[in-house]
Amino acid sequence: MNLNKIVDACKVEMAPPGCPNIFPPPKPTPVVTCNLVKDEVCGNIEQPCDGSFVEYWRVVGLPVLPSGTVTVYNGSDCIMSVRAVIQGSLIDLFTITEKNQTKAVTVSGIESLDVQCLGGATGATCSGRFCLTLHYQKDCVEEVFE
C-alpha cells in the first residue's frame, strides 16, 4: 500500500474514515474573564514641611497594577511635590505651589504615592488631602470553550 497516495487523497480539514489525520485538531483558545473594579481611596496629608517624602499609599496583592486618577489638594502654605512609582519607575507627577490648589493626573500601572512638602515657616506642618480613583481587574478566571 502506498501511504503517499492515501495522504494525498485526504483533505486537511477532515480526514475521511481510513485516512490518517496528519494534523491534530486545533486546541480551543482559553478566554480570561475578570471583574472590573472601581475603588476610591482617600486620605489626609499631614507631615512636617521639611523636604522629606512620605508614602501615603501602596498597592498590595493585585496581580495587575491599577490605572486611575491621582488628585491632591494642598491646604497649607508649603509647596507639595507628588511622585509615584508607575510600572516600576519613580515618576514626579506634579508640584502644587499655592494654598487651596488641587491638581490631578491620570496614570496607568500605579504602585505607590508619595508627597514631599517644602518651604513654609520653620516647623510648619503641611496638610491636605489625596484621592485615588482606581480601576483594576479582580477575580480573573480562565475558561476554555470547546
Side-chain angles (χ1 to χ4, degrees):
M1 173 188 283
N2 187 344
L3 187 59
N4 288 337
K5 286 185 180 180
I6 293 174
V7 171
D8 289 341
C10 298
K11 293 190 175 198
V12 173
E13 295 84 23
M14 304 260 314
C19 290
N21 192 352
I22 59 173
F23 296 102
K27 293 184 180 180
T29 304
V31 176
V32 177
T33 57
C34 303
N35 292 323
L36 184 60
V37 177
K38 177 183 174 187
D39 275 339
E40 187 165 274
V41 178
C42 296
N44 293 324
I45 297 170
E46 189 164 335
Q47 67 189 69
C49 198
D50 62 3
S52 61
F53 275 95
V54 174
E55 183 178 85
Y56 282 92
W57 177 85
R58 175 172 293 280
V59 69
V60 176
L62 288 179
V64 178
L65 295 174
S67 299
T69 302
V70 177
T71 305
V72 177
Y73 163 76
N74 185 355
S76 67
D77 291 321
C78 301
I79 296 171
M80 285 184 176
S81 292
V82 180
R83 71 181 185 187
V85 175
I86 298 173
Q87 298 179 1
S89 298
L90 188 60
I91 306 290
D92 292 323
L93 298 178
F94 51 78
T95 299
I96 305 174
T97 57
E98 302 295 324
K99 184 176 183 174
N100 297 323
Q101 186 179 25
T102 300
K103 286 193 178 180
V105 65
T106 300
V107 296
S108 178
I110 187 166
E111 298 177 47
S112 68
L113 178 70
D114 302 336
V115 176
Q116 175 193 48
C117 294
L118 298 165
T122 304
T125 298
C126 180
S127 63
R129 187 155 175 81
F130 74 93
C131 280
L132 297 160
T133 304
L134 302 169
H135 301 271
Y136 57 94
Q137 296 175 343
K138 186 176 176 186
D139 302 327
C140 295
V141 176
E142 186 175 295
E143 298 177 85
V144 178
F145 298 101
E146 301 203 27

mmCIF file with all atom_site columns, all heavy atoms in Angstrom, residues 64 72 94 116 141:
data_model
loop_
_atom_site.group_PDB
_atom_site.id
_atom_site.type_symbol
_atom_site.label_atom_id
_atom_site.label_alt_id
_atom_site.label_comp_id
_atom_site.label_asym_id
_atom_site.label_entity_id
_atom_site.label_seq_id
_atom_site.pdbx_PDB_ins_code
_atom_site.Cartn_x
_atom_site.Cartn_y
_atom_site.Cartn_z
_atom_site.occupancy
_atom_site.B_iso_or_equiv
_atom_site.pdbx_formal_charge
_atom_site.auth_seq_id
_atom_site.auth_comp_id
_atom_site.auth_asym_id
_atom_site.auth_atom_id
_atom_site.pdbx_PDB_model_num
ATOM 1  N N   . VAL A 1 64  ? -2.468  42.531 38.703 1.00 0.00 ? 64  VAL A N   1
ATOM 2  C CA  . VAL A 1 64  ? -2.340  43.520 37.630 1.00 0.00 ? 64  VAL A CA  1
ATOM 3  C C   . VAL A 1 64  ? -2.430  44.900 38.276 1.00 0.00 ? 64  VAL A C   1
ATOM 4  O O   . VAL A 1 64  ? -3.348  45.173 39.054 1.00 0.00 ? 64  VAL A O   1
ATOM 5  C CB  . VAL A 1 64  ? -3.467  43.350 36.579 1.00 0.00 ? 64  VAL A CB  1
ATOM 6  C CG1 . VAL A 1 64  ? -3.359  44.410 35.506 1.00 0.00 ? 64  VAL A CG1 1
ATOM 7  C CG2 . VAL A 1 64  ? -3.422  41.957 35.976 1.00 0.00 ? 64  VAL A CG2 1
ATOM 8  N N   . VAL A 1 72  ? -4.624  65.568 44.355 1.00 0.00 ? 72  VAL A N   1
ATOM 9  C CA  . VAL A 1 72  ? -4.046  66.048 45.607 1.00 0.00 ? 72  VAL A CA  1
ATOM 10 C C   . VAL A 1 72  ? -4.447  67.498 45.817 1.00 0.00 ? 72  VAL A C   1
ATOM 11 O O   . VAL A 1 72  ? -4.362  68.324 44.897 1.00 0.00 ? 72  VAL A O   1
ATOM 12 C CB  . VAL A 1 72  ? -2.504  65.911 45.613 1.00 0.00 ? 72  VAL A CB  1
ATOM 13 C CG1 . VAL A 1 72  ? -1.913  66.478 46.896 1.00 0.00 ? 72  VAL A CG1 1
ATOM 14 C CG2 . VAL A 1 72  ? -2.100  64.450 45.456 1.00 0.00 ? 72  VAL A CG2 1
ATOM 15 N N   . PHE A 1 94  ? 3.532   65.952 39.785 1.00 0.00 ? 94  PHE A N   1
ATOM 16 C CA  . PHE A 1 94  ? 3.260   67.390 39.716 1.00 0.00 ? 94  PHE A CA  1
ATOM 17 C C   . PHE A 1 94  ? 3.676   68.051 41.011 1.00 0.00 ? 94  PHE A C   1
ATOM 18 O O   . PHE A 1 94  ? 3.960   67.387 42.005 1.00 0.00 ? 94  PHE A O   1
ATOM 19 C CB  . PHE A 1 94  ? 1.791   67.695 39.401 1.00 0.00 ? 94  PHE A CB  1
ATOM 20 C CG  . PHE A 1 94  ? 0.790   66.978 40.273 1.00 0.00 ? 94  PHE A CG  1
ATOM 21 C CD1 . PHE A 1 94  ? 0.508   67.401 41.562 1.00 0.00 ? 94  PHE A CD1 1
ATOM 22 C CD2 . PHE A 1 94  ? 0.106   65.867 39.795 1.00 0.00 ? 94  PHE A CD2 1
ATOM 23 C CE1 . PHE A 1 94  ? -0.416  66.747 42.353 1.00 0.00 ? 94  PHE A CE1 1
ATOM 24 C CE2 . PHE A 1 94  ? -0.822  65.198 40.579 1.00 0.00 ? 94  PHE A CE2 1
ATOM 25 C CZ  . PHE A 1 94  ? -1.085  65.641 41.865 1.00 0.00 ? 94  PHE A CZ  1
ATOM 26 N N   . GLN A 1 116 ? 5.961   65.168 49.162 1.00 0.00 ? 116 GLN A N   1
ATOM 27 C CA  . GLN A 1 116 ? 7.045   65.916 49.801 1.00 0.00 ? 116 GLN A CA  1
ATOM 28 C C   . GLN A 1 116 ? 6.544   67.337 50.020 1.00 0.00 ? 116 GLN A C   1
ATOM 29 O O   . GLN A 1 116 ? 5.901   67.915 49.138 1.00 0.00 ? 116 GLN A O   1
ATOM 30 C CB  . GLN A 1 116 ? 8.270   65.939 48.885 1.00 0.00 ? 116 GLN A CB  1
ATOM 31 C CG  . GLN A 1 116 ? 9.405   66.797 49.407 1.00 0.00 ? 116 GLN A CG  1
ATOM 32 C CD  . GLN A 1 116 ? 10.466  67.037 48.335 1.00 0.00 ? 116 GLN A CD  1
ATOM 33 O OE1 . GLN A 1 116 ? 10.138  67.400 47.205 1.00 0.00 ? 116 GLN A OE1 1
ATOM 34 N NE2 . GLN A 1 116 ? 11.713  66.826 48.688 1.00 0.00 ? 116 GLN A NE2 1
ATOM 35 N N   . VAL A 1 141 ? -10.770 34.557 35.822 1.00 0.00 ? 141 VAL A N   1
ATOM 36 C CA  . VAL A 1 141 ? -10.997 33.133 35.652 1.00 0.00 ? 141 VAL A CA  1
ATOM 37 C C   . VAL A 1 141 ? -10.701 32.788 34.188 1.00 0.00 ? 141 VAL A C   1
ATOM 38 O O   . VAL A 1 141 ? -11.146 33.488 33.285 1.00 0.00 ? 141 VAL A O   1
ATOM 39 C CB  . VAL A 1 141 ? -12.453 32.758 35.984 1.00 0.00 ? 141 VAL A CB  1
ATOM 40 C CG1 . VAL A 1 141 ? -12.726 31.283 35.718 1.00 0.00 ? 141 VAL A CG1 1
ATOM 41 C CG2 . VAL A 1 141 ? -12.789 33.104 37.427 1.00 0.00 ? 141 VAL A CG2 1
#
